[in-house]
């Protein structure tokens, strides 16, 4: 059984249809990427997974369980943590407070402390900055914080919305290296990206989303060789 | 008009007392604004209900003799009752006037809150009449309530509310102490200390507790807060609860200090405290405290130069001037840009 399975999801904003029946799945242990241009519906897909937007049709299953029974704040307890678009760091809260909120749904104090050590090991920068408020971090540091905060939920599935957005190439590389590390430590990842170059290097499989529809689904090798992907997302004529 | 230092200092003390009331009420406006970006127009009435519940409680404690045998305990119980009464009222207002309209246009919950404010005022004012109407219902020759019960209910409601002014017992008395030729009443000192301690408690709650962090997260971004597992509705409800509890404390204090309470008593302090919240920077908790004291002091300084009846003109001129020249207040940041 896949860890996450999206079946024929249709989603609307008022009368505007943003998702036109998409289906995808993510297996335990994988890094799967969802690539698409601006306005393709990537963030909308993640809002559906977060239960912030109820699909008009179709369903989202996590470990076989239908997520539609849950409210948005209960999703993290089911093992899904989000790194939202634009990072979504709480700018007036300190780095520590942001991380504590990442573990808001947990009560296992000792293990939370362990996870704190673990994210500080992955992102040593955050340890140095722990009493600084989120809003004064650089873009790259905010990305680290947002990722670390999601990990504090000890999720089985980490969902990231364009983590490379607005970062310099070397920073993007380090973000993706940390993703590989996180994945190795046992967290399954769904990575939404416009930066297909990088996404196709770290992922094992990928989907291409175009105006609310999945138009392609393949291994990353297959996607890299695909003429349409090369032209639209990799800039190769 | 000669300058008299000792009367000026007495006026300053008066400013701090009134400022304590404004600050406690202003906190509720500011906290609710922080999580909802909306003004709770029923907040003044929540304060009023606190005063009424306190009054009813203290009168019963007088009846049973506790007020005479252990006044400190009786006053403590009165504060707790008034606080709980206001808190329940606040949570109910949120539930009825705000939550069902969470996704509606912004104007809708404001209008429903004004409706709640009118309802609460009229409810307290008309309680005895409602009691008579309900207990007087007859079906044919059959009366729903036996006469004795009817009198009991009407009596209870008359003790609780009604259109007439009601009077607190003089808890604080007029006792005090003198420094030079300045007379300081104990009541002012008690009010100031209680208010400051309450606000310090609130500060620590917001800064360090799990709820405080969740509340600040909700104030920044509700969607992302809910991704963290924070139940937004619960946080909003508790924010109303705490803000209303503070207004309830102020309600009981005002009752004990000025003695007289009436159903309309929430209106002017409500608007003044709103002014204080705006002055400090609405949405900002230390700002509301600062704004409350600044407004209280501003009023007494203003009436040094103007007849005392111009006090309200001073406050509202301050409100208009801030809204024109510094709408973000003393400590506020550009909320408008973030929240829209
Ligand atoms: N709140 C909203 N109200 C109305 N339409 C919306 C809303 N949010 C998104 N849309 C529309 O839904 C479509 C999909 O938007 P979505 O944000 O999912 O795109 P995206 O793939 O994440 O794009 P980007 O790469 O720019 O973030 C777009 O056409 C967008 O205009
Ligand atoms: Mg997006």
């Amino acid at each position: 059984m896949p860890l996450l399975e999206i079946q024929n999801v249709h989603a609307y904003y008022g009368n505007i249809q943003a998702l036109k029946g998409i289906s995808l799945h993510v297996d335990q242990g994988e890094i799967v990427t969802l690539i698409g241009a601006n306005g393709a519906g990537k963030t909308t897909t993640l809002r559906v997974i977060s239960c912030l937007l109820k699909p008009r049709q179709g369903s989202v299953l996590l470990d076989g369980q239908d997520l539609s029974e849950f409210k948005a704040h209960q999703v993290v307890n089911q093992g899904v943590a989000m790194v939202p678009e634009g990072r979504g760091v709480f700018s007036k809260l300190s780095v520590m407070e942001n991380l504590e909120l990442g573990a808001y749904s947990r009560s296992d104090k000792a293990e939370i402390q362990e996870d704190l050590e673990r994210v500080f090991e992955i992102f040593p920068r955050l340890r140095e900055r722990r009493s600084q408020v989120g809003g004064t971090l650089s873009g790259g540091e905010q990305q680290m914080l947002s990722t670390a905060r999601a990990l504090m939920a000890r999720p089985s599935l980490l969902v990231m919305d364009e983590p490379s957005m607005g970062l310099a190439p070397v920073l993007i590389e380090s973000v993706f290296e940390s993703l590989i590390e996180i994945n190795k430590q046992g967290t399954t990842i769904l990575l939404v990206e416009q930066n297909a170059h990088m996404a196709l290097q770290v992922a094992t499989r990928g989907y291409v989303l175009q105006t609310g529809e999945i138009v392609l689904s393949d291994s990353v090798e297959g996607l890299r060789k695909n003429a349409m992907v090369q032209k639209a997302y990799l800039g190769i004529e | 008009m000669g300058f008299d230092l000792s009367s000026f200092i007495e006026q300053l003390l008066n400013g701090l007392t009134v400022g304590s009331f404004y600050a406690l009420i202003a906190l509720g406006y500011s906290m609710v604004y922080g999580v909802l970006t909306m003004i709770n127009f029923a907040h003044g009435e929540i304060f009023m209900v606190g005063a009424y519940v306190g009054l009813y409680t203290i009168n019963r404690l007088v009846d049973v003799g506790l007020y005479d045998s252990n006044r400190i305990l009786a006053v403590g119980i009165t504060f707790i009752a008034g606080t709980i009464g206001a808190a329940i009222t606040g949570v109910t207002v949120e539930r009825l006037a705000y939550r069902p309209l969470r996704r509606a246009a912004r104007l809708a919950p404001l209008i429903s809150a004004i409706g709640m404010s009118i309802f609460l005022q009229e409810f307290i004012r008309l309680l005895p009449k409602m009691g008579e109407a309900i207990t007087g219902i007859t079906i044919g020759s059959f009366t729903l309530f036996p006469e004795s019960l009817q009198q009991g209910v009407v009596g209870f409601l008359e003790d609780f509310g009604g259109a007439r002014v009601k009077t607190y017992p003089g808890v604080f008395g007029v006792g005090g102490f003198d420094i030079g030729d300045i007379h300081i009443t104990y009541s002012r000192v008690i009010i100031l200390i209680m208010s400051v301690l309450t606000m310090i408690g609130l500060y620590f709650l917001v800064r360090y507790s799990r709820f405080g962090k969740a509340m600040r997260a909700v104030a920044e971004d509700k969607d992302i807060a809910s991704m963290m597992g924070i139940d937004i509705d619960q946080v909003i409800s508790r924010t109303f609860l705490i803000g209303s509890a503070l207004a309830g404390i102020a309600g009981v204090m005002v009752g004990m200090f000025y003695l007289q309470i009436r159903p309309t008593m929430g209106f002017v302090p409500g608007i003044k405290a709103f002014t204080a919240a705006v002055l400090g920077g609405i949405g900002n908790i230390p700002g509301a405290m600062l704004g409350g004291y600044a407004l209280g002091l501003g009023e007494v300084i203003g009436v040094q130069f103007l007849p005392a009846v111009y006090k309200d003109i001073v406050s509202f001129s301050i409100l208009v001037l801030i809204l024109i020249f510094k709408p973000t207040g003393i400590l506020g940041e550009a909320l408008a840009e973030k929240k829209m």
Side-chain angles (χ1 to χ4, degrees), chain A residues 73 91-92 97 100 104, chain B residues 210 213 216 220 223 230:
Chain A
H73 71 270
S91 62
K92 290 191 218 155
E97 288 174 333
E100 283 163 9
Y104 185 83
Chain B
R210 180 179 147 88
K213 286 169 201 161
R216 285 182 286 141
E220 272 203 44
D223 282 354
I230 297 169

Side-chain angles (χ1 to χ4, degrees), chain A residues 47 50 52 72-74 76 80 82 84 88-93 97-98 100-106 149, chain B residues 207 210-211 213-214 216-218 220-221 223-232 234-235 333 335 338:
Chain A
R47 288 180 67 82
S50 309
L52 286 167
H73 71 270
Q74 295 167 323
V76 65
V80 183
M82 291 276 161
V89 161
F90 295 114
S91 62
K92 290 191 218 155
L93 274 64
E97 288 174 333
N98 269 278
E100 283 163 9
L101 285 174
Y104 185 83
S105 58
R106 300 169 59 184
R149 184 180 65 183
Chain B
R207 187 93 177 77
R210 180 179 147 88
F211 165 76
K213 286 169 201 161
R216 285 182 286 141
V218 170
E220 272 203 44
D221 192 317
D223 282 354
I224 291 169
S226 70
M227 287 177 191
M228 303 295 117
I230 297 169
D231 183 345
I232 308 299
Q234 188 193 59
V235 167
E333 60 259 76
L335 275 170
K338 184 190 86 194

Side-chain angles (χ1 to χ4, degrees), chain A residues 13 16 18 37-44 85 162 194:
Chain A
Y13 294 104
I16 305 164
N38 289 117
K42 306 183 295 295
T43 301
T44 306
E85 183 167 43
E162 300 198 46
Q194 276 193 69

Side-chain angles (χ1 to χ4, degrees), chain B residues 145-221:
Chain B
F145 291 82
E147 186 136 352
S148 58
L149 185 62
Q150 185 178 350
Q151 273 168 3
V153 170
V154 173
F156 163 74
L157 295 175
E158 259 162 11
D159 285 340
F160 194 95
R164 278 180 304 114
V165 168
K166 287 189 147 12
T167 311
Y168 266 73
V171 178
F172 291 134
V174 289
F177 53 92
D178 295 302
I179 301 176
D181 49 2
I182 302 160
H183 182 69
I184 299 171
T185 57
Y186 294 130
S187 58
R188 292 195 191 286
V189 178
I190 294 169
I191 284 172
L192 194 59
I193 291 175
M194 263 187 75
S195 306
V196 169
L197 288 180
T198 305
M199 287 186 251
I200 291 173
L202 178 75
Y203 179 80
F204 279 91
L205 178 79
V206 172
R207 187 93 177 77
Y208 296 109
S209 75
R210 180 179 147 88
F211 165 76
K213 286 169 201 161
M215 189 182 86
R216 285 182 286 141
V218 170
E220 272 203 44
D221 192 317

Side-chain angles (χ1 to χ4, degrees), chain A residues 29-33 183 199-206 218-221:
Chain A
E30 278 191 305
I31 302 183
V32 171
T33 184
N183 180 248
L200 293 178
Q201 280 176 41
V202 293
T204 44
R205 286 190 303 117
D218 205 343
S219 68
V220 289
E221 293 78 18

